[in-house]
Amino acid sequence: MASRARVRAPELIGKGGWLNTGNKDLTLSDLRGRIVVLDFWTFCCVNCLHVLDELRELEERHRDTVVIIGVHSPKFVHEAEHQAVVDAVERYGVEHPVLDDPELATWKQYAVRAWPTLVVIDPEGYVVAQHAGEGHAHAIEKLVEELEDEHAAKGTLRRGDGPYVPPEPVATDLRFPGKAVRLPGDSFLVSDTTRNQLVELAADGERVLRRIGTGERGLTPDSFNEPQGLALLPDGRVAVADTVNHALRVFDPASGALETVAGTGKQWWQGSPTSGPAREVDLSSPWDLAWWQDRLWIAMAGVHQLWTWDPAAGTVAVAAGTTNEGLVDGPAAEAWFAQPSGLAAAGDRLWIADSETSAVRWVERSAPGDGYVVRTAVGTGLFDFGHRDGAADQALLQHPLGVTALPDGSVAIADTYNHALRRFDPATGEVTTLATDLREPSAAVLVDDDIVVVESARHRLTRLRLPEEAVRVASVAHRTQRAATEVAPGALRLEVVFQAPAGQKLDTRYGPSTRLLVSATPPELLAAGAGAGTDLARDLVLADGVTEGVLHVSAMAASCDDAPDIEYPACHVHQQDWGVPVEIAEGGVARLGLVLAGLDAG
């Protein structure tokens, strides 16, 4: 960074305690002499999972000087459960200490506003940088190298082993399975996500018939990287959403062959192609798959969209969604999703589990021969969730990951963070509960009169009889724990802070290198200032008569190497979406600063 303010880092506190430290509590004084990177994350957030992967190389290359600390800061009620955090740390292969902060105490101390946020602390215990969103690993590495040189010269750098202590491995046939599909011979193919394999189970759902993949992370003919969704193709092969490889694979159960049919292995970024030859277009965390209307539909969780793969033409293309995160219905090209994670084809509808809005939605033709339209069955937005049955317009879910079409035209919902199997009936408009006491169900497969549920956090498939009557449960409603920001009525200055990494500058070769998109829920919150632009600062006007809402802010900045002698400079995209709950109050702030990269001096 061009300049680094001397801000003392607040202490790390969290009621849930520490993980991956061998039962030792850590303090900042324990870490003095090391460069500390705090990763504020929550395990529901796909962008947070991207950052975990971005940090792996930094973690390895600077293991003797850098300590990465995950600060788990929950959005959903379920994420505040300590065992759920323990499970998530194992599920996603987190190999550094994690502080479980269920009450967001450290989040508030560091004035964090978004998941994910990275904060860098120097060896003397001062905050020197903050980054929100993805794409910052290269900038942090440059800063780390500067800090290594600076503090080695000062004698304040301490090298050596870090405080990470790996947990004891647990022996089970499956480990955090994601999705399952029934093969023609009545066996089940399951994505064994944490072990980077597929597993074929016998018809009883228990006996292992074979494992596919070495278990090592990779994009090779015999490896996966946290596979999730599975879909049976018309030719009998199985499509696989190879999530962390950002790829679509096809597995042939008869021959055992594994082929990559879409994706480059690199993550899609703003400005990348959104259609074209399937092997030449980047994807972003494909999470689930469904064969519908002569295409394979892809829940592209990483960019909040639906894509399709046409095997006959060998192409992929965006089918719905703008990449903006939220719940907006309408024509497919204008709809907003929030981490779509489950798909189920049912006649003229494609059902969607839209996890971050705790919603069930569907896609259908707007009219015969016309384009597609997106509609919502259950769910209201990013910040409302719970377990409530009844009329769909007031029913609540909590981060569902799967949907399954039932024979009567209704849809079963893997209501993951409620540990329940729910049902939405389009004929009655009612939501009911079919089963409880499931542990993070992530998908389900219909087998005659039974439904086989993937109990991800119990590491097994569980067979249930579809009940004729729903289970009665007590209604619970929640809102996110994040405190609203009090803002003054009228004019509000929005400033997104971005400082290019050392040795880089904004890339203006082809026009503006920054983008800012602002909207609100409800839309009436903003009397002026909504829409897209290229300036990272904007004057908003809050409407009279609206007392609260959410400001949705999406920012992007591209920076490139600044040295004039580099013929082909390396360029990087930095991007983040914020949903900022606000309350209008006299005496509230008149400026809202959001840090994309750097430190906010406002």
Side-chain angles (χ1 to χ4, degrees):
M1 294 294 166
S3 63
R4 295 198 290 271
R6 299 283 286 178
V7 178
R8 177 64 71 178
E11 191 52 84
L12 306 177
I13 53 175
K15 191 174 181 180
W18 288 89
L19 305 175
N20 285 355
T21 63
N23 297 319
K24 174 182 169 71
D25 291 345
L26 298 181
T27 66
L28 285 176
S29 62
D30 296 329
L31 303 172
R32 195 76 77 237
R34 311 298 291 272
I35 300 163
V36 178
V37 179
L38 302 182
D39 176 17
F40 289 87
W41 70 299
T42 188
F43 63 79
C44 71
C45 162
V46 71
N47 310 92
C48 299
L49 305 185
H50 292 167
V51 168
L52 284 176
D53 291 318
E54 289 178 4
L55 292 175
R56 292 186 201 279
E57 290 186 16
L58 173 73
E59 203 166 18
E60 183 58 36
R61 282 197 292 265
H62 299 270
R63 188 169 293 279
D64 66 333
T65 60
V66 173
V67 175
I68 295 175
I69 302 289
V71 182
H72 189 268
S73 313
K75 171 186 174 181
F76 291 98
V77 169
H78 170 60
E79 293 174 310
E81 296 177 13
H82 182 68
Q83 185 57 47
V85 181
V86 173
D87 289 345
V89 167
E90 181 189 350
R91 180 194 298 265
Y92 297 116
V94 179
E95 296 184 351
H96 51 247
V98 173
L99 174 64
D100 180 11
D101 182 18
E103 296 177 347
L104 302 180
T106 296
W107 164 289
K108 294 170 186 173
Q109 287 290 315
Y110 282 82
V112 175
R113 293 185 181 274
W115 299 277
T117 290
L118 300 170
V119 175
V120 183
I121 302 171
D122 74 10
E124 294 179 292
Y126 291 93
V127 174
V128 292
Q130 183 170 327
H131 303 262
E134 304 177 48
H136 299 293
H138 70 287
I140 291 176
E141 181 148 32
K142 284 181 178 293
L143 177 57
V144 164
E145 291 168 353
E146 288 181 9
L147 292 171
E148 287 174 337
D149 292 342
E150 175 185 336
H151 289 273
K154 291 173 65 175
T156 50
L157 183 69
R158 176 167 59 89
R159 297 178 180 271
D161 293 335
Y164 169 66
V165 178
E168 290 293 325
V170 181
T172 53
D173 288 333
L174 301 173
R175 205 69 193 161
F176 299 104
K179 307 287 185 180
V181 67
R182 194 183 187 196
L183 297 178
D186 292 340
S187 63
F188 296 94
L189 191 65
V190 184
S191 54
D192 196 15
T193 304
T194 297
R195 293 205 176 117
N196 306 303
Q197 292 180 317
L198 305 183
V199 176
E200 186 178 359
L201 300 177
D204 62 7
E206 297 181 8
R207 183 165 53 92
V208 175
L209 300 179
R210 59 173 163 169
R211 295 183 176 274
I212 299 96
T214 63
E216 299 295 323
R217 295 175 181 266
L219 185 58
T220 72
D222 58 358
S223 65
F224 299 94
N225 198 344
E226 297 184 26
Q228 287 280 352
L230 305 169
L232 197 62
L233 299 174
D235 63 6
R237 297 185 299 165
V238 178
V240 183
D242 198 357
T243 303
V244 179
N245 274 330
H246 309 294
L248 181 64
R249 320 290 291 279
V250 170
F251 170 67
D252 186 344
S255 68
L258 180 64
E259 177 187 3
T260 302
V261 297
T264 63
K266 297 179 180 178
Q267 184 183 340
W268 187 95
W269 288 98
Q270 290 288 349
S272 301
T274 55
S275 64
R279 289 300 312 276
E280 299 175 15
V281 177
D282 298 338
L283 309 181
S284 182
S285 296
W287 208 275
D288 202 13
L289 308 167
W291 184 262
W292 186 61
Q293 299 204 346
D294 300 320
R295 298 284 190 279
L296 186 75
W297 287 67
I298 307 167
M300 203 70 76
V303 285
H304 317 299
Q305 291 180 314
L306 303 182
W307 289 41
T308 60
W309 171 59
D310 182 347
T315 57
V316 291
V318 172
T322 64
T323 76
N324 295 317
E325 184 178 13
L327 194 156
V328 176
D329 289 342
E334 301 171 15
W336 292 22
F337 297 95
Q339 238 169 274
S341 301
L343 298 176
D348 59 0
R349 289 185 177 184
L350 178 69
W351 292 102
I352 306 153
D354 202 27
S355 62
E356 278 294 286
T357 53
S358 297
V360 170
R361 307 172 73 184
W362 79 88
V363 176
E364 64 184 2
R365 293 279 188 186
S366 54
D370 286 352
Y372 294 103
V373 65
V374 178
R375 307 190 193 282
T376 297
V378 186
T380 58
L382 286 164
F383 300 103
D384 294 294
F385 54 90
H387 192 154
R388 186 163 64 200
D389 288 333
D393 61 359
Q394 57 84 51
L396 293 173
L397 310 170
Q398 188 179 179
H399 198 79
L401 289 178
V403 280
T404 305
L406 299 179
D408 63 358
S410 65
V411 58
I413 306 158
D415 194 5
T416 309
Y417 288 1
N418 280 328
H419 309 301
L421 188 68
R422 313 283 293 282
R423 174 178 177 261
F424 168 66
D425 186 352
T428 64
E430 294 283 316
V431 174
T432 52
T433 298
L434 299 178
T436 57
D437 192 31
L438 301 167
R439 187 69 186 171
E440 292 192 16
S442 55
V445 180
L446 193 65
V447 180
D448 302 323
D449 294 329
D450 294 342
I451 192 163
V452 176
V453 180
V454 180
E455 274 199 275
S456 188
R458 282 201 177 111
H459 319 292
R460 70 187 190 194
L461 302 188
T462 299
R463 184 180 293 258
L464 302 172
R465 177 71 60 173
L466 278 174
E468 295 182 4
E469 295 185 4
V471 177
R472 294 189 180 276
V473 297
S475 295
V476 179
H478 301 289
R479 295 209 81 196
T480 180
Q481 295 185 60
R482 293 176 59 192
T485 299
E486 290 192 349
V487 295
L492 177 66
R493 177 69 171 174
L494 171 66
E495 294 181 356
V496 174
V497 177
F498 178 76
Q499 299 169 4
Q504 294 202 337
K505 65 178 181 179
L506 288 173
D507 177 19
T508 57
R509 292 171 297 166
Y510 308 108
S513 62
T514 56
R515 186 192 72 167
L516 180 66
L517 178 67
V518 180
S519 63
T521 303
E524 299 77 31
L525 175 65
L526 284 178
T534 58
D535 194 341
L536 291 181
R538 189 175 302 177
D539 291 312
L540 310 179
V541 178
L542 303 173
D544 293 335
V546 181
T547 59
E548 64 177 4
V550 178
L551 289 174
H552 301 282
V553 181
S554 178
M556 185 272 288
S559 61
C560 295
D561 290 339
D562 194 19
D565 58 335
I566 299 178
E567 184 176 1
Y568 299 105
C571 298
H572 303 273
V573 175
H574 317 257
Q575 64 184 49
Q576 173 63 8
D577 295 333
W578 290 267
V580 183
V582 296
E583 291 181 355
I584 316 303
E586 295 293 341
V589 299
R591 174 189 176 273
L592 180 61
L594 302 175
V595 176
L596 180 59
L599 291 172
D600 185 8

